[in-house]
Amino acid sequence: MAEPEFQQAYHEIVASLEESTLFEQKPEYRKVLPVVSVPERIIQFRVTWEDDEGVQQVAPGYRVQYNSAKGPYKGGLRFHPSVNLSILKFLGFEQIFKNALTGLDMGGAKGGLCVDLKTKSEAEIRRICYAFMRELSNHIGADTDVPAGDIGVGGREIGYLFGAYRAYRNTWEGVLTGKGLNWGGSLIRPEATGYGCVYFTQAMIDYATSGRESFAGKRVAISGAGNVAQFAALKAIELGAVVVSLSDSRGCIIAEDGITSEHVAAIAEAKIKFQSLSQIVESYSAFAENKVKYIDGARPWLHAGKVDIALPCATQNEVSGDEAKGLIAAGVKFVAEGSNMGCTTEALHAFETAREVAKSPAEAVWYAVGKAANCGGVACSGLEMAQNSQRARWTRDDVDRELKNIMVNCFNDCVKAAEEYSSEENKNTLPSIVKGANIAGFIKVADAMLDQGDVF
């Protein structure tokens, strides 16, 4: 069966490893690759519920438990009509190495349901979550598999899923992350992926400019309008940047003078009601007072004008090769994926070529793949698991400080791996964050698998 998304993710990892000296220096790692590429377990099940008219509905549910060498399976649940095994295998495969890059004890997994919640009532969403968890509860647990949210699964859905698990298993445990603060959740968790992406980008800026520059005054193009995009925008605004765009599946908004925190608050309120950006721009006073331009059917990359930083925060393959070239022409210097595999292979090559030909760090385009740049979300999930184990609640400052440290350490690990395993022909080029992330994450997982006898 064709699995284009998984094959793209797999080939990205393989290319980074083969173009490095890793297998020359440590030949034993080569035999890990075919093993780590196959999920330990794929669970597929039927989910049935009644809609509000009393008509039975059915959809396929999945959990891909990919690798547990580094800890319990960990990864989100996606409720979206595009969900299929190729997408979940790609996400689960990425999750293995992303989770390893956090430095925390977590394996990799992903799951979901092929359903469109935008067309469902509140009561139907609750019934769907209970029906999904009826089967999934047999395969997860605090020391086995700890799912989180993803596209289509936010705080409301996590609440229903947790309530269902508690009812079916008669136990209260930290089996899901992204929980409400009143029942086991962690401060900073909703913000963590967006904040972490900005913290990783700041680490790239520090490295490229020797600490002379920051987000202050930078023009930042962001795609998406969900949780990740919202909090990436708010953190960038807080740090003094001018956020020039947001988007959804139907179009984008461009703000030459900058999107405001009031804009983001209006979007956050409306997106819970599944409203589109076009509806939001027309109906919320924040947009009447601070004008933005809505472009129907477009992504922001070729419409944002001059751009210093680009943060794809919507979904996979949302930056094409031509859009990457357009961003480079518009002056972009830093690109960090808040989404998973946000750039196509052609876009990746465009950004990496711009780095390879640069004569100095300041001239380069610094590009970070999602497994590194957006690992802040799962990192904070790991911190939530730690708090649940302790039956403790950390302060906002404590969690934020840990999140920053994890993102900076992740960046440093990527640079170190890129430099240590650079091939001879790349010795004189600037380090690739793409290759460094793939190599560093792979080494952490491979070492655990070799130590435990998963590979022999």
Side-chain angles (χ1 to χ4, degrees), residues 358-380:
K359 294 181 173 61
S360 70
E363 295 176 11
V365 174
W366 296 91
Y367 165 53
V369 288
K371 63 174 64 69
N374 71 42
C375 75
V378 74
C380 200

Side-chain angles (χ1 to χ4, degrees), residues 190-210:
E191 300 94 329
T193 309
Y195 279 17
C197 188
V198 171
Y199 294 153
F200 192 97
T201 305
Q202 182 59 60
M204 288 200 293
I205 296 172
D206 288 339
Y207 182 86
T209 68
S210 299

Side-chain angles (χ1 to χ4, degrees), residues 5 11 17 68 80 89 92 102 105 121 133 164 167 172 200 224 272 305 309 355 363-365 371 386 388 392 429:
E5 293 86 2
H11 288 307
L17 300 176
S68 58
H80 193 269
K89 281 183 66 179
T102 68
D105 295 330
S121 70
M133 186 55 78
W172 195 107
F200 192 97
I272 295 174
I309 299 169
R355 173 192 54 81
E363 295 176 11
V365 174
K371 63 174 64 69
N388 291 164
T429 63

Side-chain angles (χ1 to χ4, degrees), residues 3-17:
E3 296 179 331
E5 293 86 2
F6 169 70
Q7 290 297 328
Q8 182 181 340
Y10 172 78
H11 288 307
E12 180 197 304
I13 288 279
V14 171
S16 293
L17 300 176

